[in-house]
Amino acid sequence: MRDMITSELQGRALVAGYGSGPALVSKTAINFAAAFGRPQNAIPGRRAVINDRHHELFKQNIKGAVLLFPACIGSTFTGMVLLQIMYKKEAPLAMVVQHADPLLIAGSVLAKVWFNCGIPVVEYSREDLYALVRTGDIISVNGVNGKITIQTVR
Amino acid sequence: MRIDSEQDAILKGDRGEVISRALRTLVDYGTVFNAKRLVPIKSAHLAGSFGTISYGAYFHVLDQILKEGVRVKVPTTINPRPGHDISLLNRIAFIKQNALDYKLKALGVIPNYSCACYEQDNIPAAGDYLAWAESSAVVFSNSVLGARTNRNSVLIDLCSAITGYTPEFGYLLDENRSGNVAVKIKINQMDATALGFIIGQKIVNKVPVIEHFDFSRSDLKNMGAAMAAAGSIGLFHVEGITPEASDIHTAFAGSEPESTITITQSDLNSLRTKHLDNSRLVVFGCPHLTCKEASDIAAHITGKRLTKNIWLCMMPQAKSDFEKTDYYKTLDASHVSVYCHCPLAALTVQLRRKQVLTSSGKLYYYLEGTEYGTMEDCLKACET
């Protein structure tokens, strides 16, 4: 017998908006500039594929997922490549990050102010995130009040 | 965030739609990090120097800014060009380079075209507030020069350059500039670049304080660049070497470190390739070389029978100086190329498998199919 369990976490709302969809969980920090910096990231539909061989989500497309990850690392191109996938409508639906940094936030803020299309970001720093959310769970992120709702089939 | 009357007028559009949006961007960006105000900056450094069609949103914003005739408000430098003119493939990949160069000129950007802007053209003083992008330049100016900038994204850098402001948070504030993690080293053959890479991987986004070691300025530059690629470090201290770490007590602002890590010789060695003869191309200069750094490399390879192609990527002014030296005149031009472009961008688009060896931790991180060697490894590989 499989049960649907709903749980709710309270994070810190950083960028407003609402996104709901399948969770994609990364336990390692993401270098978005390295991830989206390959020539194949110019191909429509493949813009948000993580092409960083150092990363656990290597070759996965983050488009249409709710991305959960610890932090951003690397280049100051980060905000621009995040803006670009939002501009081209290939972004994740929302992001939950353990430690928000200026480069991650820049992507969503630039997209909101210049193109009216920034995705919500919520910071949730506690380690239990990885025990409570698995890839494929349905997760809703509210960038206004910081609530993260998780629907899990276990 | 407190907004003064001048900033309020800008937000309301007194100086045009584009400046208003740029300031709105900085207010929203700073608000997320609880910035209390916007502060004037001494200079900006922009990282968006590659003319590729992949960055459509970037070009769209640039065009909006130029349409209103807006120019940068503070001295502003720019990262290297991508090597758009070195191959047919690169001409296609960077087809918008000439258009981008034209736009940057119209903005009033200083055409230094180097990531090592702090060596020439844009040299901050300790305590200066800046709004820089380019992770290697940010970490250098914070750590080695004692200036104050956050790790700003491409386009955030431009919003600051045209308004002259940055939100006051992060590394601009004293409370975020003291060390968190003590780094002990058990190393008999120092490789500052590999040390930076491992520190970046291990402590990701804290402020490391490395125990005393007599690093050169080049060591600090390459170490910081590696930390900022393998991690997101924007500030580090070295006991007795960097300006805000006259001693350990000062570096930690009187507090105890949150944690202590030890980095050993075997950690450093784990990055090094065991196959020096695998490569076809040995690349030096990520970040860009100074004239002295290039001369030191040239001194080792001149007069040798070279077996690999070698790239020296340099600051444009340093390249001119280097070309006047005897080192340059004795280099084997059939194997050695001296460039001013970004080696990463130039090598990203290639059809053949890349067989690159580099002593740059940053280039090693970003360029697919690249192997890492110490400076000694790389010099040896040139004639292997």
Side-chain angles (χ1 to χ4, degrees):
Chain A
M1 181 77 187
R2 305 208 311 166
D3 292 326
M4 174 79 83
I5 307 161
T6 302
S7 45
E8 193 172 83
L9 305 176
Q10 181 63 52
R12 194 161 75 91
L14 300 183
V15 179
Y18 180 83
S20 181
L24 179 59
V25 178
S26 165
K27 289 189 180 173
T28 44
I30 303 178
N31 188 324
F32 284 103
F36 303 152
R38 310 277 170 243
Q40 56 268 35
N41 288 99
I43 302 167
R46 310 288 298 160
R47 292 187 173 99
V49 175
I50 295 196
N51 283 313
D52 176 2
R53 71 194 189 283
H54 301 281
H55 198 264
E56 64 177 81
L57 297 182
F58 185 46
K59 295 199 183 296
Q60 293 215 48
N61 195 337
I62 65 168
K63 177 186 175 185
V66 174
L67 185 66
L68 297 95
F69 64 111
C72 277
I73 56 171
S75 167
T76 51
F77 273 58
T78 299
M80 185 177 69
V81 298
L82 289 170
L83 166 66
Q84 183 67 17
I85 60 169
M86 294 176 209
Y87 174 69
K88 290 290 185 179
K89 310 285 178 234
E90 293 193 26
L93 300 164
M95 294 197 274
V96 177
V97 65
Q98 288 187 296
H99 305 281
D101 79 311
L103 294 171
L104 176 75
I105 296 306
S108 272
V109 168
L110 287 163
K112 264 192 190 299
V113 175
W114 295 87
F115 300 99
N116 201 23
C117 65
I119 64 169
V121 183
V122 168
E123 188 178 58
Y124 183 85
S125 301
R126 288 172 51 180
E127 279 302 323
D128 62 355
L129 184 67
Y130 297 115
L132 295 166
V133 189
R134 311 241 171 102
T135 291
D137 291 350
I138 298 301
I139 178 165
S140 307
V141 175
N142 186 326
V144 176
N145 62 18
K147 286 205 190 315
I148 304 163
T149 312
I150 307 145
Q151 291 182 314
T152 311
V153 179
R154 294 271 193 268
Chain B
M1 190 185 292
R2 282 196 308 274
I3 301 292
D4 69 23
S5 55
E6 190 195 331
Q7 293 159 359
D8 189 51
I10 295 172
L11 287 172
K12 286 184 175 131
D14 279 16
R15 286 182 30 212
E17 166 68 16
V18 153
I19 293 282
S20 163
R21 272 203 196 183
L23 201 68
R24 167 58 53 203
T25 305
L26 297 176
V27 169
D28 289 359
Y29 168 62
T31 301
V32 171
F33 297 98
N34 300 317
K36 299 280 185 291
R37 57 180 182 161
L38 297 165
V39 289
I41 51 167
K42 283 273 174 65
S43 77
H45 176 75
L46 311 180
S49 59
F50 304 155
T52 146
I53 50 163
S54 305
Y55 304 149
Y58 175 56
F59 278 90
H60 197 84
V61 175
L62 268 181
D63 288 342
Q64 286 186 58
I65 292 171
L66 287 170
K67 212 160 68 186
E68 288 193 19
V70 169
R71 290 170 64 88
V72 297
K73 209 182 166 198
V74 293
T76 301
T77 45
I78 178 80
N79 256 9
R81 292 190 180 97
H84 59 293
D85 48 2
I86 67 162
S87 68
L88 178 63
L89 213 52
N90 276 10
R91 278 182 205 283
I92 298 165
F94 301 107
I95 195 158
K96 297 184 85 169
Q97 191 61 36
N98 290 340
L100 176 59
D101 289 345
Y102 177 81
K103 292 177 207 293
L104 293 168
K105 191 176 175 198
L107 274 168
V109 171
I110 299 164
N112 69 312
Y113 287 108
S114 178
C115 49
C117 61
Y118 44 82
E119 298 283 9
Q120 204 147 30
D121 299 304
N122 194 350
I123 306 173
D128 281 356
Y129 285 166
L130 317 170
W132 284 17
E134 174 46 45
S135 61
S136 66
V138 166
V139 72
F140 190 91
S141 65
N142 274 326
S143 313
V144 183
L145 305 179
R148 299 187 171 208
T149 172
N150 282 314
R151 284 163 46 83
N152 295 293
S153 176
V154 171
L155 279 177
I156 295 289
D157 55 6
L158 190 57
C159 290
S160 283
I162 62 175
T163 58
Y165 290 112
T166 193
E168 188 181 36
F169 70 92
Y171 296 127
L172 271 63
L173 298 169
D174 288 345
E175 68 230 46
N176 300 316
R177 294 185 67 89
S178 46
N180 318 115
V181 179
V183 180
K184 303 280 177 211
I185 47 181
K186 284 194 173 158
I187 290 165
N188 39 43
Q189 272 197 304
M190 179 50 79
D191 175 6
T193 303
L195 177 63
F197 197 98
I198 304 284
I199 290 173
Q201 279 182 327
K202 289 202 177 194
I203 75 169
V204 187
N205 52 10
K206 304 281 169 106
V207 179
V209 180
I210 303 162
E211 71 172 294
H212 180 82
F213 186 89
D214 196 13
F215 294 109
S216 68
R217 188 178 164 100
S218 299
D219 287 341
L220 296 171
K221 162 176 157 181
N222 292 308
M223 181 162 75
M227 285 183 200
S232 63
I233 292 168
L235 170 64
F236 67 86
H237 303 296
V238 183
E239 177 190 5
I241 297 286
T242 54
E244 291 165 65
S246 50
D247 55 50
I248 281 286
H249 187 78
T250 310
F252 285 105
S255 310
E256 286 298 307
E258 280 172 29
S259 59
T260 299
I261 61 167
T262 302
I263 295 178
T264 64
Q265 189 69 47
S266 71
D267 289 328
L268 301 196
N269 291 348
S270 68
L271 279 189
R272 290 167 70 182
T273 178
K274 290 174 183 65
H275 310 285
L276 289 181
D277 47 353
N278 271 358
S279 52
R280 290 160 171 268
L281 174 64
V282 184
V283 179
F284 300 98
C286 174
H288 268 171
L289 301 172
T290 61
C291 183
K292 182 180 183 305
E293 288 165 341
S295 301
D296 288 347
I297 293 165
H300 282 93
I301 57 176
T302 188
K304 301 276 171 63
R305 203 182 71 80
L306 302 176
T307 55
K308 311 273 195 319
N309 290 323
I310 298 162
W311 279 14
L312 302 177
C313 293
M314 305 187 63
M315 302 154 51
Q317 184 57 48
K319 177 171 178 275
S320 310
D321 295 343
F322 180 59
E323 284 167 353
K324 292 179 196 124
T325 65
D326 292 337
Y327 289 123
Y328 178 76
K329 288 167 192 147
T330 54
L331 280 176
D332 174 0
S334 65
H335 284 89
V336 184
S337 307
V338 183
Y339 291 124
C340 296
H341 58 238
C342 167
L344 168 62
L347 292 166
T348 293
V349 192
Q350 277 212 341
L351 295 178
R352 272 184 312 178
R353 198 171 80 80
K354 299 178 182 82
Q355 293 169 284
V356 175
L357 176 69
T358 186
S359 58
S360 160
K362 176 169 180 162
L363 185 63
Y364 166 68
Y365 188 96
Y366 284 102
L367 187 65
E368 208 173 8
T370 301
E371 296 190 85
Y372 175 78
T374 63
M375 180 57 91
E376 291 70 29
D377 292 339
C378 291
L379 292 170
K380 198 170 139 202
C382 294
E383 45 175 331
T384 302

